[in-house]
Amino acid sequence: MTDKFMSPHDVEAIPGTEGWERLYPYHYQFSKDDPDRAAFEESQLWFYDGLHYPEPHYPFDLIWDEAWFLALSQNNTRTFLMPPALGIDHRIINGHVYITPVGVADPEEVGRRVPTFMKRAGYYYENWDRLYEDWKVKVNGLLVELEAVKFEPLPEVEDETLVFENRGIGSGYELLAKYDELINMGLKVWQYHFEFLNLGYAAYVTFINTANTIFPDIPISTLTRMVSGIDVVMYKPDSELVRLAKLAIENGLDQLLIDNKSSAAVMTEMANTTAGKYWLDELEKARYPWFHISTGTGWYHHHSSWNDDLDVPFASIVMHIEAIKAGKQVGRPTEKLIEEREALIEEYRSLIGTDADREAFDQVLAVAQRVFPYVEDHLFYVEHWFHSIFWNKIRELSDVLVGAGFFKDREDIWLLKRGEIRDALWDHVTSWATGTIARGPSYWQKEIDWRKGIMEKFQAWSPPPALGTPPDVVTEPFSIVLWGVTTSVLKNWLKGVEAVTEGGVEELMGAPGSSGVVEGRARVIKSAKELSSLLEGEILVATTTSPSWAPAFTKIAGAVTDVGGAMCHAAIVCREYGLPTVVGTGRGTTTIKTGDLVRIDGDAGSVTILERA
Amino acid sequence: MSDKEKRIVLWYEELEGSDFPLVGKKNANLGEMLKGGIRTSPGFALTLHANDMFIEETGIKGELGSYLSALGEATLEACQEASDAAVKLILEAEVPPAIVDEACAAYQRLCELSNTENVPVAVRSSGAVSMPGQMETYLNIRGEGDLIEYIKKTWASAYHVEAITYRLNKGWGFLLNIGVGVPKMVNSRVSGVSFTLNPLNGDRSKIAVDVSYGLGEAVVSGLVTPDNYLVDKVTLNPIRSTKGSKEVMCVYNASGSDCAFVDVPAEDREHFCVTAEELTEICRVSKVIDKYYGKPYDIEFAIDADLPFPENVIILQVRPESVWSKKADEGRTEQKKDAMDRIVSQLITGVRIK
């Protein structure tokens, strides 16, 4: 077994993609230009961020990666002075993002950072609830600003108010300024996203490690159950669907929903009756903000929200109606969850041998519980609500450029870096201002066609899980908790044994997501639209799941995902539904086929294909 | 109580933990478990009083008692000599008819309960004080004649040289009356041992289970590598499952009393010997035992080949865990001022998770 991964400088470009580097910022490239920077790159462990990015990046979509690159790193390094940890450095190879946590090498420097950290982080821990309330106010303000952004085609002739109100500012300038504002809002919401997220994770990691000291080998999934919130914003969209399902049954509208295939047809028919109109009003109340939830993770422009495609939530409402009529429990049994959580905590506490240990446990549990609502809920505000609206604002802008002949399709804009969009806008506004021909149409359409070809080749490439030099022991808390990169995972990667074939039995290893062992037929689901094809008792196999998939969880017997760790939402939701789950298998959706008989062991983190369909 | 003290035989269901002076600890514990709703194999106990009656009425008590003073300095040779003489004396004595009658009547009742003629039973020593492993247990005893013979052998085993030296080291007397337990032999498809803590580190939130094919002797005596599980005591979810090689198993001798070791068929060695639901039931009952006594326990169990689930999961024997329970728990976490202090030191030392 080799003790190093491939050097990041040795990864070769995919034939036919030469020149791909210009799709991304120049500083995202591994490079040997500077021997010191090259030596640093060589000495670090870079792992593929498959947790966030199961697919290669479109140039524009990299905005969120850049946003957290800055926000997380600056918070660790410069704001809170996280004693042992600096930021997380980013690179991109063949469209796939690789990251590496950077530590403070000098132990004395770690010590010097402690007093500042204690003072600053202590302030946040002590005032957590109030600061979280402030945080919501700030983010909500930004969402209001975001909603207000509108992009319109440039006028043939400026409105006369420009003159008679002596505003002095032309539409060309405003278009440029609005684009900058929009981008800045996106970067700013990510500043908020990380305002105290790492402090939350630090508290959570401390709880996990302390509990593991007291109860060696206690599963992380059990610990998450002790801290996870009850009244969690991420579950609100699904509880709204349950509400609408019940409302439909109460008002005799359930059959109408079941019979109609499209949301548009349902809504047309609903509008004909008083009861239907009432239901539509309630639907409108639920849509804003709860239907901003993404059907994916929100990280990619093609992760549409429920508001973007009402067929998705309508199909889920139908699932809820059928479940309610079949006498099943739908939604989250909040009271039962509270009871179970308290009983779980009490029973473990009673097994602690000394008062000192019990005090330590209580201390870290209390702080983990305090930080958890923010740790769980920030996702809805940022990745779902903000991103869902943001993508559509960019589409609005794209329409302007489609109108000016720059692109053939509004979805072409994702193939431009955000700086290139600004350049294109300059091209557009100056040619508009001058009354001349822009270069954009001839320049961008050719470039976009070429980039589409590159993206296809990137899609087909399997990124190696890691590059560079692994540490002897992984102790960096964020790699472990968020990405599931542990010492033993690295060893498996080095051995290259992610998939073992043994006498016809295929086994995939992932991380334990939710306890239990179950067998069933697999159904591979590529998007939320396919959820309605799920049959009772099947095993859901997906790249990742979204909390918006919750209605499907009343049907399935278990779940397998390609990406994610014990903290990811698929794992959290499945634990609530008591479904055995294995997360982060890397290649579940490519190895398992619909109809295969599989056994999943949510404790060992293994998936066995027992019989091929 | 006064009635109980004069009895020769007491059924397990008549006993409770505090009866150990009458019947020995193992027997009293089994009665206590029944009271707590924990399934054990049906059976009865011969009391210490019965043992005393035996040595009294046969007139061997005086002679047995004299060995102690005759020993003088308790050298190993002297102990061996005293042991040989005591065992011979007991085995050659005739069990008084009152005891034979009572024991046989109880045995017949057990045969009826099991719907089996000459039902196989175990004959187990049960001291009123703990003398772990110093005395004998005989398995697969059938018929009245053998039963009485093995009861005598069990009484005699209190005078085995190991038992004598153990007593003398503890400063106890030479004479020792013990109880005898007579449970129906479980037709063990598999058997094993569970600890209601992790024996490797004393963690009380875990249950450790060793289990293999056949009678429990193979696991207890360490003759096989059993399947091994570490199970979360709170959630009853398995944390680690390690398949053992399970080379041999101990089975009844078809011909008569006692048992023999045979090879486990290759295909049975390749898989775990209990199902997931059986494992959960073993752990559930182990947890009931732990909760009932309020401390970690060491439990012998079997899964009967003839009974349906969950009645087939039978507890054979329980005793308090003796290693970690004796150690003072020094705590596992470091002393820290508050949560903030813990977070900082956590960040500095890093996380170590496999």
Side-chain angles (χ1 to χ4, degrees), chain B residues 253-267:
Chain B
N253 261 338
S255 51
S257 295
D258 222 339
C259 62
F261 286 97
V262 297
D263 289 341
V264 175
E267 67 267 28

Side-chain angles (χ1 to χ4, degrees), chain A residues 82-84 110 114 117-118 121-122 125 202-203 205-206 208-210 213-220 222 225 344 347-348 351 353-354 356-357 360 363-364 367 473-475 477 480 486-489 515 603, chain B residues 196 198 201-206 230 232-241 276 287 290-291 328-354:
Chain A
M82 200 66 87
V110 172
V114 168
F117 176 77
M118 293 279 268
Y125 287 124
V205 163
T206 306
I208 290 180
N209 220 66
T210 305
T213 307
I214 299 172
F215 305 116
D217 306 307
I218 187 168
I220 289 185
T222 303
R225 277 175 62 196
L344 190 71
E347 194 169 348
Y348 277 102
L351 295 171
T354 68
D357 280 352
Q363 283 173 351
V364 293
V367 66
V473 182
V474 182
T475 58
I480 291 171
T486 61
T487 309
S488 64
V489 164
S515 230
D603 299 295
Chain B
T196 63
N198 182 344
N201 56 25
D203 172 14
R204 290 187 52 189
S205 74
K206 305 291 184 297
L230 189 66
D232 189 297
K233 198 196 278 180
V234 176
T235 62
L236 299 185
N237 290 324
I239 289 177
R240 258 199 303 279
S241 307
K287 187 171 159 179
D290 176 290
K291 278 206 161 172
D329 194 333
E330 282 155 11
R332 294 161 187 270
T333 56
E334 283 174 61
Q335 200 63 44
K336 294 278 177 223
K337 188 163 89 299
D338 52 20
M340 187 66 209
D341 219 14
R342 292 188 189 281
I343 292 168
V344 171
S345 77
Q346 184 68 68
L347 288 171
I348 293 172
T349 54
V351 179
R352 283 169 195 270
I353 294 175
K354 284 165 281 163

Side-chain angles (χ1 to χ4, degrees), chain B residues 182-222:
Chain B
V182 186
K184 171 194 177 290
M185 281 302 284
V186 177
N187 186 6
S188 306
R189 191 193 86 223
V190 302
S191 22
V193 178
S194 71
F195 279 82
T196 63
L197 49 64
N198 182 344
L200 301 180
N201 56 25
D203 172 14
R204 290 187 52 189
S205 74
K206 305 291 184 297
I207 298 173
V209 179
D210 274 353
V211 59
S212 195
Y213 292 107
L215 299 166
E217 302 312 302
V219 175
V220 174
S221 57

Side-chain angles (χ1 to χ4, degrees), chain A residues 175-191:
Chain A
L175 180 60
L176 290 170
K178 261 195 287 190
Y179 175 69
D180 288 346
E181 277 167 31
L182 179 64
I183 295 299
N184 287 337
M185 281 180 217
L187 299 175
K188 194 171 175 184
V189 82
W190 273 89
Q191 293 284 304

